[in-house]
Structures are given as C-alpha cells and as structure tokens.
Amino acid sequence: MAKQTLHDKLYSRKLHLPNRFLYGAIYHLGKLVFKKYNMTFNYIDDPRKEKGNIVMVANHANRNDFLFTAIPSYPKLFNYVAAYNEFFRTNLKDLFRIMQLVPKRQFFNDSYTVFEILSLVKKYNANICFYPEGLSGISGANQPITPGSGKLLKFLKLPVYACITQGAYLIYPKYVKFGAKERYAKTITTVSKIFTPEDLEKLSVSEIDQKLNEILFNDDYEWALKNNIHYKDNGYPIAKDLESLLYKCPKCGAEFKNVGEGNVIKCQACGNGASISDTYALTKLNKDDKIPITQTKWRNYQRIQIKKAIENDLNFTFEVETTISGLPKYRYVKPKENAIKEGEGKLVLSLKDGFKYIGTRNGENVILSVPNKELYTFCMSYDGDIIHFFYQGVLTQFTFKTKGMAAKILLTQQELHRASGGEWKALKDEYNEDLIFPKDE
C-alpha cells in the first residue's frame, strides 16, 4: 500500500465543531496576548444575540485576523476557512486541527471545502467564518473578493454578519519579512448584519458579490492618515524592504531601482523619493519629486502603467527567470521554510498565450500552462517577494532574484486576466489616475 500523503490525510478528515473548552482557552489566551493590538469593537448589530447559527465574513488585513472575528462573537464558535498551505506548517498544524479549520486552496475550485462547509452547517448547525478576498491584504486596501462567494452564501441561507477591521494591515504590512516584530497602534472593528436569509434569496449571486466588495472595502493607509494613528517600528524600520511592493518610480518610470532604508524610499536612477512618518504619511524628499498620496495609490499607479502597456501592445509578453517550489508530500514545513525548491525556469506572461512556466520541476522538464481567463491572480502568503498559485490543485510557488518582481508579476497577471475578459473585476477607483497624486501636481 502506498504511503498516504499529508494532503490525503488532510482531505480524508471529517470535520466537526471545535471543542468548546479548547476554543475558549485559545480565545482567552489570544485576547490576553493580543491586548497589544489595542482592539476596539463597535456593534451595529450583535452576532451574539442571533439565536441560530450564522456566517461571518471579514476583510482580511492581518495574519491574526481570527482575533477580530472570534472576540466580538464569543461565545459563538466558528469553523474558520483557512489557506490550504498553512495546514502544513509545524507551528500551525495542531492548532488548526484543534480548531477544526476548513482548508481552502485559494483561487481554485476546491469542492472539498464547499462540501465540508455545507456538511458542518447541516450536521452541526455550525457557524462559519471566511474571508471572501481569499488571502491577507497586499496593498493596505482590499482586493476584489473571490468569485463564487455570493454563491456559497446563497447555498447556506444563513444570516450573514461582517467584521470590518481598520488598522490591522499596518501592524504587519506585506513587505515586512516574516519573523519581524509587529508595529502596534490601535485597531477598530465594526460588526454588522449585512444579509438576512430573505436578502440572499432575493439577490442574485453577482449582486451579493458586488455588495460584499462594497461592504468589506477599507484602506488602512487612508484611515491612519485621517485619524493620525502612530505606529512604532519595533526595530524594523518603516521603509525597509518597501521596494518589494513599490518597485516603480513615479517620476522617471524606472523599475526595480527603488530602495527602502530607514524611513526613506528612494529611486537610485533619478533620486525621486519620500520619507515615511510613523503614520505612514509620505513626504517628498525634494520639491520637484513625484510621490503618490499613499502606498495604496502608489500600487494603483503601478497597476495603471501595466494596464496601459497591455492595451497598447496586442503582442504583450513579459518573461522572467524564476525558482519553482512546492510543499513536500510527507513532512511539514518549518515556519520560515514556506515551501521546498523543486526546479528553475522562466515565467512567460502573454496576452495571446496566457501564463506559462517553462523549466524543470522535480528533475523533469515541464511546461505549466494556464489561460489568462482561468488565472485571476497569485497569492502572497508572507512577504512581498514570494507568490504562489494552485496548478491542477498542487501548490506552485515562485521566487525571484529581483526585489519587486513578484509584485509586478502579480499585477501583470491580474491585468492580463481582465484584458482577456476574466470575471475577477477591478474595484472602484483602482484605475482612477486623478486620485494617485496630490491635486496640486
């Protein structure tokens, strides 16, 4: 008999409700440990007063986002939906088993996940919590929800509550490397009831998806500036490694020339740069510098440039060398390990021919190919230099030699998907150039 893989073991489980005693212990411990988050909860509607079971949705801004849904809802217990690859970490596997979390391969039609959610609700009247974006925030603001979220809610026919948390992303921005200390300030979570079962019956799937995008949207950079929220760097300077996300100079257009050090990000080609305050405010180094209003707007600027390049070139193609990695079949990965190198090759992103990886994997020459309409985006799990997706259900991770390349590849694939008629649409103002720079420029 063939040895059972960790994937097979995970997907052969029959999930049930989390143990109330252990869930409570984790809840109280988490509440104590994470007082440093300075959490405030505002209730428009109180999920604890709902007599039956519910679904909770939330914006996904932080690696510890379960705190912002578990605390305001307790003693209601949730079966959470969590990213598949997190179940294979030595530091999380036992906790995820105790909490009876449901694995989900992001941006992949994972029928196991849907079946287990429906089974939990039917057999145990379970409360379900999931994050429609599918992964923790990259830019400081939301990305569009995963298509199909509304369809799942219609199937479940349960009251739907939302937790919208402000300030959580800036505690641990995506460009900060794994293992760094968090930047504490404050967070505010607002809880409200957004759909009744009757609402879900009347609304179409697309209408529900649209409302989810509108309700969940939050931009932490704008919130921090507006409310003058100050973040401590805790030994990891506020601009360090920022070029992992902000790779393009808004003044000269050079790519991969930005360097973040201390509290300054600066283009090494033309000298354009900004200092960053402890509220994440961007201030030009020189009078004639060209700097977006916030980091979110800077990322939108980069997206718009890619969109224009694709629109202006019917033969648009982008190639880059990469390392390919995956999860081992029979052992768990260490917290900083993430995945295991399996080969080297190149990525080819093309408007006409879709996405391709051409190179080696596990000792064989391979070509991995996906049409643009089927590949919405890539995921960034821990920091801005690593991306992954699920090719035929198998986690496939890419790393690059150049800082910022992962961010460019991610944005490029998103725009190729949209240019090819894909269903993962842009959010409001993502392409609004008038909002990128201060009005006096």
Side-chain angles (χ1 to χ4, degrees), residues 293-331:
I293 296 172
T294 65
Q295 291 187 33
T296 305
K297 296 294 190 290
W298 197 323
R299 192 164 182 270
N300 286 350
Y301 157 78
Q302 295 174 163
R303 176 188 296 283
I304 291 168
Q305 303 314 304
I306 291 171
K307 182 174 185 290
K308 288 179 178 179
I310 294 171
E311 290 173 342
N312 293 330
D313 185 359
L314 295 177
N315 295 309
F316 179 90
T317 300
F318 186 76
E319 298 185 10
V320 62
E321 293 182 356
T322 189
T323 296
I324 191 170
S325 303
L327 293 170
K329 291 184 177 181
Y330 302 107
R331 72 167 180 86

Side-chain angles (χ1 to χ4, degrees), residues 54 104 133 140 166 239-240 251 256 311 358 373-374 403-404:
I54 66 170
K104 172 69 173 76
E133 293 170 77
Q166 297 171 299
K240 181 177 171 60
K251 185 177 181 180
F256 315 118
E311 290 173 342
I358 304 169
K373 288 186 72 171
E374 295 179 17
K403 272 191 176 183

